[in-house]
Amino acid sequence: MSEYSAPTPIARHRWWVPDELALYLHNCGVCANPREEQAEGDTPAVFINRLADTPDRALALLAYSEDHTISDSNPTARITLLFRGQPDDQTTPEEDAERAFTALHEIGETQMTARLTVLASRRIINDPPVPDNNRRWHRADTYELVLAALR
């Protein structure tokens, strides 16, 4: 076995992690309530594993891997948070990403929701903002979360 092992896709039994993370971020004031209809508002709309075209200001949580290198019972999940603002607004996605950073980076053992406990969380990638063809600016940050064993 090589020293490097590629992360595997999020396991089926953990499909709910992005949903629970979205609920935690809502409770921290980072995004809209994921259990309600998404519309333009004071916080970005939130979507799981996709970024809908509307509303303009939005956050997508994209779960893409689970790694068991450190521990089989406490896997490390990688989730990208993709922020988007309204046309010609470069500032709001940056501000939204910084609110998420405050809620997620360098936290210790935290019970985020009834189903999700994170032992450690850290931002590992911070991409520069880029516009799309509709002049909406995007910012993507990737976090690693060490998940507590399911109980």
Side-chain angles (χ1 to χ4, degrees):
M1 180 175 215
S2 70
E3 288 182 34
Y4 174 79
S5 63
T8 57
I10 289 284
R12 284 191 186 279
H13 67 281
R14 296 203 193 266
W15 60 268
W16 46 265
V17 170
D19 295 306
E20 296 296 310
L21 184 59
L23 187 58
Y24 171 76
L25 290 172
H26 165 68
N27 291 336
C28 292
V30 173
C31 63
N33 188 336
R35 296 181 176 161
E36 295 178 358
E37 186 172 332
Q38 301 302 301
E40 205 67 56
D42 294 333
T43 56
V46 62
F47 300 95
I48 307 301
N49 292 324
R50 67 184 182 93
L51 183 58
D53 194 45
T54 59
D56 287 321
R57 186 176 178 202
L59 162 62
L61 281 78
L62 311 169
Y64 67 91
S65 72
E66 186 174 295
D67 186 1
H68 294 270
T69 302
I70 296 172
S71 169
D72 285 333
S73 59
N74 300 106
T76 301
R78 288 194 186 133
I79 299 179
T80 295
L81 278 60
L82 178 60
F83 297 89
R84 181 181 66 207
Q86 296 195 3
D88 301 315
D89 179 3
Q90 187 174 356
T91 307
T92 302
E94 292 283 321
E95 293 169 348
D96 291 341
E98 289 309 308
R99 273 194 291 285
F101 177 83
T102 300
L104 290 174
H105 185 71
E106 288 292 325
I107 61 172
E109 185 171 339
T110 302
Q111 185 165 356
M112 295 186 165
T113 66
R115 294 181 68 193
L116 179 62
T117 299
V118 171
L119 301 177
S121 174
R122 164 169 208 85
R123 183 173 67 189
I124 58 168
I125 299 174
N126 164 237
D127 286 334
V130 295
D132 65 15
N133 290 338
N134 295 317
R135 302 179 339 267
R136 298 179 297 188
W137 286 85
H138 295 242
R139 155 102 179 252
D141 291 346
T142 299
Y143 288 83
E144 279 190 341
L145 292 83
V146 179
L147 306 176
L150 295 174
R151 298 170 200 220

